[in-house]
Amino acid sequence: MSRTGGAPAVLLDITDGIGWIRLNRPDAANGLDVELLRALNDAVLTCHGDPSVRVVMLTGEGKIFCAGGDVKTFAAKGEQLPDYLREATAWLQIATASLLRLKAPVVTGIHGFAAGGGGLGLVCASDIVVAARSTKLFSGAVRVGMAPDGGTTVTLTQLVGLRKALEILLTNPTLTAQEAKDIGLVTEVVDDDALTDRVRELARQLADMAPLAVAATKRLVWDGVGSSVEARLGEEARVVSALSGTADSLEGLAAVIGRRAPKFVGS
């Protein structure tokens, strides 16, 4: 889980039956790049392989839970972006599927922004989501000439319904934490300073329950949609990689970095 030449991209602590996974690129808004996604999957697999882990907490260090894909890294790849995104989306598929297939329930605490295919995908792939009151959520993929990934084309629809999912994915509204709760995207909303304590409280509650029953319940619920989610992950990755080589995608990334409106040309 080490990051080359710096701090680990993902932190993992296992104590008293709780595995606490923390995204650890605060200076990059916990943007998802290949290293972080690989480290996230490693952390999830470590939890999966440790019989003492009964529940997993997932949070992000710094001011933002996860801003989605790391647009600055993507933009810097230039013509190599499709190849890079093929690798990044492959790791996103693996990490998302690992969360979905993890026996232990995942309690995720979000704050700041939870955005983009990857950031929103992690939210949607979690079992219980607690949002700080100041949290904002949006999709953002189409805004930069890309398509949703992280399983959201299935999980988001299951959570909020077809019409609302299409509205979120196509028009990219910014949702407040309360709006996200009202439509079923998050489980509950708490004051910002109570977020970590509430996530830990829920994790402790689940860790003290019968682990086989909890794991079986999670599996029964996700199996209702899980095979469809995992089947869709590959197609999402193919479309994202293909779109990343278009002029519109490069323009979308440049516009986000330059904080301006994009000018799409359809190529």
Side-chain angles (χ1 to χ4, degrees):
M1 281 170 271
S2 294
R3 188 169 188 80
T4 303
V10 171
L11 303 173
L12 171 61
D13 297 298
I14 298 176
T15 306
D16 296 331
I18 298 174
W20 187 2
I21 298 173
R22 289 172 285 162
L23 308 181
N24 190 39
R25 297 188 68 210
D27 292 342
N30 291 320
L32 302 176
D33 63 0
V34 167
E35 271 192 274
L36 186 147
L37 288 166
R38 185 187 294 120
L40 174 59
N41 184 61
D42 287 345
V44 175
L45 291 182
T46 298
C47 291
H48 178 77
D50 188 335
S52 73
V53 176
R54 294 189 172 193
V55 63
V56 167
M57 293 170 51
L58 175 62
T59 61
E61 295 291 283
K63 297 180 179 180
I64 292 177
F65 167 68
C66 178
D70 186 345
V71 294
K72 290 186 178 180
T73 295
F74 294 169
K77 297 298 178 181
E79 294 181 356
Q80 282 71 51
L81 180 60
D83 290 335
Y84 183 83
L85 275 183
R86 267 189 286 273
E87 183 178 4
T89 54
W91 281 109
L92 177 58
Q93 290 177 66
I94 294 169
T96 302
S98 295
L99 285 172
L100 292 169
R101 303 306 299 181
L102 187 66
K103 290 182 180 180
V106 178
V107 182
T108 296
I110 61 175
H111 66 290
F113 274 97
L120 189 59
L122 296 179
V123 172
C124 292
S126 302
D127 300 304
I128 296 176
V129 179
V130 182
R133 201 167 303 280
S134 63
T135 302
K136 301 290 188 296
L137 301 97
F138 68 97
S139 173
V142 171
R143 187 178 64 129
V144 294
M146 301 290 278
D149 56 5
T152 53
T153 58
V154 176
T155 51
L156 183 62
T157 301
Q158 291 290 328
L159 289 166
V160 306
L162 177 63
R163 296 298 183 199
K164 181 57 70 171
L166 283 168
E167 178 190 1
I168 291 170
L169 295 175
L170 290 174
T171 68
N172 301 294
T174 298
L175 302 174
T176 66
Q178 188 59 50
E179 288 170 336
K181 181 180 182 299
D182 290 344
I183 63 175
L185 180 53
V186 305
T187 308
E188 64 178 89
V189 178
V190 299
D191 291 338
D192 288 27
D193 58 4
L195 178 63
T196 301
D197 286 344
R198 179 55 178 156
V199 172
R200 187 179 288 110
E201 179 184 8
L202 286 166
R204 183 73 268 152
Q205 178 184 344
L206 289 167
D208 289 341
M209 298 175 71
L212 295 180
V214 169
T217 300
K218 170 178 175 171
R219 186 76 280 119
L220 286 168
V221 172
W222 276 113
D223 277 351
V225 294
S227 60
S228 297
V229 177
E230 293 181 46
R232 205 63 181 164
L233 284 166
E235 179 63 11
E236 288 178 347
R238 185 193 66 78
V239 172
V240 168
S241 179
L243 287 173
S244 70
T246 65
D248 278 353
S249 175
L250 297 176
E251 164 62 11
L253 292 172
V256 170
I257 293 171
R259 299 186 178 183
R260 60 174 175 81
K263 296 181 179 179
F264 295 129
V265 297
S267 63

